[in-house]
Amino acid sequence: MGKPLLYLDVDGVLNPVFPHPDDDFDTHALLGYSVLLSPRHGEWLRELADRYTLVWATTWEERANEHIAPLLGLPELPVVVFSGYVPQPGDPRVPLMELFSAAKWAPILRHAQGRPFAWVDDCIPPRLVRRSVLRADRLLLPVDPAQGLRREHVDRLLRRPPSRAWPNPWAC
């Protein structure tokens, strides 16, 4: 069996809004935006790459490979494409109140194609997190956009990666 997938957002996860001053972030001007990135995140992501296949799940899409990956010391990663995504038969229904926050859900599920995965993002609907708690094949890990990715998130991802174990039949 291959490694589980790890879907990574950029803004709010690797580019936090208000990081702690001791967290060693550097400011980069990328595509007209001021982006905060930490070499520590690059170290953590390379550590996670031993257990996961890293995948960009960000509105940066392919631009994450061009601009973010080199600054973090990452190779080019696969990308989930969100722009222009057209809902398809079989996509999960999303409540009207979650249209923005759950916009990545169907494209991620389509990209995963049934493979185990973890998703790290600052904008995951709580309903999806609750519905995934009892599933062995996925881990949805919300991140506080003010602080971004923290060591406790990395430790959680390493402690028990998602697997193909039979999910709880009552979990959606």
Side-chain angles (χ1 to χ4, degrees):
M1 174 176 82
K3 299 179 199 177
L5 302 167
L6 175 55
Y7 293 106
L8 295 165
D9 186 26
V10 172
D11 295 319
V13 175
L14 302 177
N15 174 30
V17 179
F18 301 113
H20 190 276
D22 296 337
D23 282 348
D24 191 31
F25 281 86
D26 298 316
T27 303
H28 303 272
L30 302 175
L31 301 173
Y33 297 97
S34 180
V35 178
L36 297 172
L37 296 174
S38 172
R40 185 176 302 151
H41 283 163
E43 293 168 16
W44 292 346
L45 293 175
R46 288 188 297 279
E47 182 180 356
L48 286 165
D50 290 339
R51 302 279 297 272
Y52 289 88
T53 298
L54 305 182
V55 179
W56 291 122
T58 173
T59 55
W60 284 74
E61 294 182 343
E62 193 57 49
R63 291 178 307 240
N65 277 325
E66 297 166 22
H67 300 282
I68 306 295
L71 294 171
L72 295 176
L74 298 175
E76 188 170 305
L77 303 177
V79 176
V80 177
V81 177
F82 300 112
S83 58
Y85 181 81
V86 176
Q88 301 175 37
D91 280 359
R93 295 185 68 185
V94 175
L96 184 61
M97 297 299 291
E98 293 179 356
L99 283 179
F100 173 74
S101 62
K104 293 180 178 179
W105 188 232
I108 285 173
L109 290 175
R110 291 241 176 246
H111 184 274
Q113 298 180 336
R115 292 172 288 184
F117 69 88
W119 177 23
V120 180
D121 203 308
D122 63 313
C123 194
I124 302 175
R127 175 186 61 87
L128 294 178
V129 175
R130 285 191 305 273
R131 287 188 171 181
S132 296
V133 165
L134 298 177
R135 295 190 61 137
D137 64 337
R138 63 181 68 153
L139 169 63
L140 277 56
L141 201 55
V143 170
D144 175 359
Q147 296 297 308
L149 186 69
R150 311 289 296 167
R151 183 65 212 192
E152 57 260 22
H153 299 119
V154 174
D155 291 341
R156 170 59 186 94
L157 288 161
L158 292 171
R159 190 169 46 251
R160 200 175 72 220
S163 70
R164 288 206 184 274
W166 287 99
N168 181 324
W170 292 280
C172 298

